[in-house]
Amino acid sequence: MKKKIKEITSVFSQDNPKIKKQIDKVKEKGHQRMTILVIPHGYDSSFHFQISHFTILFFLALTIGLLSLAIFGIVRSSNTQTQINQLSKIYGTYFDTYINHANQLEEMKEEYSKLNENMLELFTLIDGQDDELLKIPTEDWIETSAIDSLQKEEKEDKQLDVGRKYLSEIYDFRQLKHRMDQYQRLVEANYQFLYQRSDILSRTPLFNPMYSYNLTSPFGMRKSPTTGYWEYHDGLDMANATGTPIYASAPGRVVRVTYSNVGYGHHVIIQHDFGFSTLYGHCSRIYVRTGQEVKAGEQIAEVGATGNVTGPHLHYEIFISEEGKTDPEQYMQAGVY
């Protein structure tokens, strides 16, 4: 291998007579001179100068090189300008998005501040308040804790240049998140409070037993339509045509389906949670039986004129185990359906 390399080197070496002869010919042609005659227009005299082939080739190569470099620079500048325009457009889009998100963050902070005030006000309505739950950190403590945690992240963030910090909006967002975390117990307490109240309301007789009616006799003292004497009326008389649907005003269990010739005629009594019971009297037709479980709003009977009546209507009562009979109209106007 070394022998072959040596042979190739000797062939292309300047000591080789053939190579040396070719080099001498090139040098000889390169050093040949050309005479350039310059005759100015309108002048009698002229001048000339000589220049070698090597010099002509040098200036020609220099001109071509400069021209190529200029063309390359123009093309590169055009591409750079195009990229700058594209980046400017992208930056404008991102900047608009950034402004929108910053505005949304401010709105979120305001909305949460109002929500937080409402939660605190609502929490004061909860029976048996927990003093430990109300030990909510101050705004200064929350802000300091959020900043400390972010500064710790900045030191550990390898993609963040030394000395650089996160955007101020990131600090604001983290403070908001920190504040939400601290108020989580308050939110859960309010949710539990509202859930319990909602559960109670859903099982309280607040649903109207009839969609439409004419209130002919309220709860309390009245003149009897049959005897003309003053008496205590322990329910509501809700008049409508015979056959009008009657609905259960709350979920419960039917405890009585019976008939009284001198009283309520065909009537139904439903027992509900929390000691409530409801009575539906003077029915023409009854669809439930004793022991049956019914839902709020489920049809249980139809309006009639059975028992001691002067016309078709529903006699509706609400009574509580410890307090006795109460005014049904107060429950029907509670605004919860």
Side-chain angles (χ1 to χ4, degrees), residues 13 32 35 49 180 184 191 200 231 234 258 298 307 310 319:
S13 174
Q32 290 179 358
T35 300
F49 61 91
M180 289 180 175
Q184 183 63 32
Y191 172 79
I200 292 172
E231 65 177 2
D234 48 13
T258 186
E298 180 179 345
T310 57
F319 43 96

Side-chain angles (χ1 to χ4, degrees), residues 204-210 213 215 217-220 233-239 246-250 264 267-270 272 276-283 300 313-319 325-333:
T204 302
L206 301 174
F207 190 87
N208 284 6
M210 293 171 61
Y213 57 89
L215 185 60
S217 185
F219 178 85
H233 189 230
D234 48 13
L236 297 180
D237 285 347
M238 307 165 67
I246 299 173
Y247 305 98
S249 56
Y264 301 128
H267 61 279
V268 179
I269 297 178
I270 300 177
H272 311 284
F276 285 99
S277 295
T278 53
L279 180 145
Y280 311 81
H282 308 304
C283 304
I300 58 173
H313 70 278
L314 166 66
H315 176 82
Y316 177 57
E317 293 182 7
I318 296 179
F319 43 96
K325 297 181 179 182
T326 184
D327 187 356
E329 199 168 5
Q330 295 179 353
Y331 292 83
M332 295 164 56
Q333 295 178 355

Side-chain angles (χ1 to χ4, degrees), residues 63 68 119 145 159 182 208 229 234:
T63 302
S68 300
M119 287 193 299
S145 300
Q159 296 182 350
Q182 294 299 323
N208 284 6
Y229 295 106
D234 48 13

Side-chain angles (χ1 to χ4, degrees), residues 29-197:
K29 290 183 178 180
H31 287 294
Q32 290 179 358
R33 295 177 177 276
M34 296 179 62
T35 300
I36 299 176
L37 180 62
V38 179
I39 304 176
H41 181 71
Y43 291 89
D44 296 335
S45 61
S46 63
F47 64 92
H48 65 278
F49 61 91
Q50 293 182 347
I51 186 170
S52 66
H53 289 172
F54 278 150
T55 304
I56 293 173
L57 291 175
F58 171 75
F59 281 111
L60 181 62
L62 181 61
T63 302
I64 294 174
L66 293 175
L67 184 61
S68 300
L69 185 62
I71 294 173
F72 174 77
I74 293 172
V75 173
R76 187 65 181 270
S77 176
S78 178
N79 292 337
T80 302
Q81 187 61 41
T82 302
Q83 293 177 355
I84 290 174
N85 293 336
Q86 292 176 350
L87 289 174
S88 297
K89 186 176 181 181
I90 294 173
Y91 172 77
T93 302
Y94 279 118
F95 186 76
D96 291 341
T97 304
Y98 164 76
I99 294 297
N100 290 334
H101 288 172
N103 293 334
Q104 290 175 2
L105 178 60
E106 290 298 324
E107 293 176 359
M108 286 175 58
K109 290 167 63 177
E110 293 179 4
E111 290 296 329
Y112 181 75
S113 178
K114 295 177 182 178
L115 177 62
N116 184 49
E117 293 177 1
N118 293 334
M119 287 193 299
L120 287 172
E121 183 178 355
L122 178 62
F123 189 73
T124 60
L125 302 176
I126 300 177
D127 298 333
Q129 296 181 10
D130 186 355
D131 293 337
E132 292 297 324
L133 189 59
L134 286 177
K135 291 181 180 179
I136 299 172
T138 63
E139 292 294 321
D140 292 338
W141 185 91
I142 293 175
E143 182 177 352
T144 302
S145 300
I147 292 176
D148 290 342
S149 63
L150 271 175
Q151 289 177 345
K152 183 178 179 181
E153 289 182 20
E154 288 174 347
K155 293 179 181 179
E156 298 174 353
D157 192 346
K158 297 180 180 179
Q159 296 182 350
L160 197 65
D161 296 337
V162 178
R164 294 285 300 278
K165 292 186 176 182
Y166 294 145
L167 294 174
S168 60
E169 284 74 18
I170 295 180
Y171 278 82
D172 293 340
F173 183 78
R174 188 59 62 86
Q175 289 178 29
L176 182 61
K177 181 180 181 299
H178 211 71
R179 187 176 293 107
M180 289 180 175
D181 292 339
Q182 294 299 323
Y183 280 81
Q184 183 63 32
R185 290 184 302 172
L186 178 61
V187 174
E188 292 175 354
N190 284 333
Y191 172 79
Q192 187 66 23
F193 166 71
L194 293 174
Y195 178 80
Q196 291 176 352
R197 294 305 184 273

